[in-house]
Amino acid sequence: MKFYDDIRVTNVSIVIEKQETSDFDFRCEKRAEPGFVAITEGDGIFSFNRKKYNIKSGHIIVVDKGDTYGIKAGDHGISYVTSAITLYKNMTFRDFGIPPLIDSSKNTSVLNKIKNSAYTWDNRQGFFVMETRILVEDILLDFLNLSKSQSLFERKNPRILPAAEYIKK
């Protein structure tokens, strides 16, 4: 990895809003593309690395290509926006220190941006792919900022940290 690379989106395959009933129980054995699942209403359980986490509106699941995970809806169902994107040079969210689960419930602007990206994708007007890609890049910047303080996982140091520490000397 080159330490000066930015997190960039080179392609957006889909950004879509979905609603599921209480019997929704999804399991992904191997994620095909990186992306996120932003819970917009309801609650449920997120499974990742053999652990289970309670999720609710405002929580964002961030998955890399190859990740294995599951989402089970709560008693009243679950609504979410899901995406599939391509990151520049096949980098991963973990390369940048973005954890698999972020709490954005205190920052409604992030969920609003995510809903707007789904609306832009679904509307399919003009340059919707480019517009969605730009919106998603802005959302990823929010993820970077939120992951510093709102991670629901133990924070692991990104691989860039040793380089940053070296520069400080």
Side-chain angles (χ1 to χ4, degrees):
M1 174 179 148
K2 295 178 180 172
F3 291 118
Y4 51 83
D5 280 337
D6 254 338
I7 188 166
R8 287 185 283 174
V9 176
T10 57
N11 187 46
V12 176
S13 299
I14 193 167
V15 180
I16 188 168
E17 191 162 10
K18 299 195 66 159
Q19 296 178 338
E20 305 290 353
T21 60
S22 60
D23 62 346
F24 179 71
D25 192 355
F26 174 76
R27 178 102 179 123
C28 180
E29 292 300 326
K30 188 174 183 183
R31 177 79 181 202
E33 293 180 284
F36 57 83
V37 180
I39 310 305
T40 57
E41 289 181 40
D43 59 10
I45 297 173
F46 168 54
S47 304
F48 188 82
N49 286 342
R50 298 186 187 111
K51 293 182 182 175
K52 295 184 181 203
Y53 304 88
N54 292 321
I55 54 174
K56 63 181 182 180
S57 180
H59 287 177
I60 303 168
I61 298 164
V62 185
V63 288
D64 280 317
K65 181 178 181 177
D67 280 352
T68 299
Y69 67 98
I71 301 171
K72 182 171 178 24
D75 293 338
H76 302 288
I78 195 166
S79 297
Y80 58 92
V81 173
T82 187
S83 71
I85 63 176
T86 304
L87 295 176
Y88 179 67
K89 293 187 180 180
N90 290 318
M91 298 182 95
T92 69
F93 293 116
R94 300 319 159 250
D95 289 336
F96 295 94
I98 298 175
L101 187 57
I102 300 170
D103 183 358
S104 74
S105 59
K106 295 178 182 170
N107 187 339
T108 56
S109 69
V110 176
L111 272 185
N112 288 337
K113 287 180 189 180
I114 290 170
K115 288 178 182 180
N116 189 32
S117 69
Y119 174 81
T120 301
W121 181 266
D122 192 47
N123 203 18
R124 299 191 177 262
Q125 297 285 322
F127 299 102
F128 76 98
V129 175
M130 181 176 69
E131 289 176 35
T132 305
R133 183 180 54 77
I134 292 167
L135 288 168
V136 169
E137 285 188 336
D138 188 42
I139 291 164
L140 296 185
L141 181 59
D142 288 334
F143 290 178
L144 286 166
N145 290 321
L146 283 170
S147 68
K148 295 175 189 172
S149 61
Q150 301 301 319
S151 169
L152 297 173
F153 272 66
E154 271 187 41
R155 180 132 166 88
K156 291 185 179 179
N157 291 330
R159 293 189 294 175
I160 197 168
L161 191 61
E165 291 299 322
Y166 177 78
I167 291 169
K168 287 181 183 177
K169 291 183 181 180

